Amino acid sequence: MKAITIEWRHLVEKGNTCMRCSDTGQALNLVIEQLNKECRNCGWRIDFIETPLSAMDIAESNSILINGAPIEDILPGAESGESHCESCCEMIGTSTNCRTVEFAGDSFAAIPESMIHSAICRVAGC
């Protein structure tokens, strides 16, 4: 069986994560659950790694790596950006920006299911 490794990196402060990372995590969990069922018949296994980050690593927060590559490197035309994140500001006590993903003319604070699904399927070749 072939494996695809999905790593979700996100800020964790006192056991909590910010709202946009939380939304990305929920989307990611739904996609992994769905693809584990769909891809098993094609000989694929989805492995999941969750990497909690400190405030010192905020620039890496809210990121998804697929077999070590950021989602924005997998989807043509996608790129990372950043925007102010009130949730992170409240968590770490200072004004801060968080990662976003820019794709197809839109900026996403939380990475949507459709992007995650497309990127994983692109890597799997399905």
Side-chain angles (χ1 to χ4, degrees):
M1 186 163 279
K2 301 171 276 188
I4 294 178
T5 302
I6 311 298
E7 180 183 2
W8 175 42
R9 296 179 179 179
H10 63 98
L11 173 69
V12 174
E13 188 71 30
K14 297 179 183 173
N16 297 310
T17 193
C18 79
M19 293 303 297
R20 67 172 67 174
C21 286
S22 180
D23 290 346
T24 294
Q26 288 176 4
L28 181 59
N29 284 328
L30 289 172
V31 171
I32 289 172
E33 182 179 324
Q34 176 188 9
L35 289 179
N36 259 328
K37 292 175 187 171
E38 291 175 13
C39 297
R40 180 163 293 144
N41 295 333
C42 300
W44 285 99
R45 180 184 79 235
I46 310 290
D47 295 329
F48 177 67
I49 300 169
E50 185 173 349
T51 303
L53 303 171
S54 71
M56 298 298 292
D57 299 312
I58 195 96
E60 295 177 46
S61 188
N62 199 31
S63 62
I64 296 173
L65 305 177
I66 302 171
N67 287 347
I71 195 169
E72 60 269 15
D73 288 354
I74 295 167
L75 296 172
E79 57 186 46
S80 65
E82 64 178 40
S83 67
H84 181 77
C85 180
E86 192 61 39
S87 181
C88 278
C89 293
E90 291 174 14
M91 288 178 61
I92 62 176
T94 187
S95 182
T96 190
N97 288 337
C98 278
R99 266 180 110 261
T100 59
V101 175
E102 319 293 325
F103 185 63
D106 292 314
S107 178
F108 298 95
I111 303 171
E113 289 177 46
S114 60
M115 284 181 66
I116 298 166
H117 189 277
S118 293
I120 294 170
C121 287
R122 187 172 182 84
V123 169
C126 56

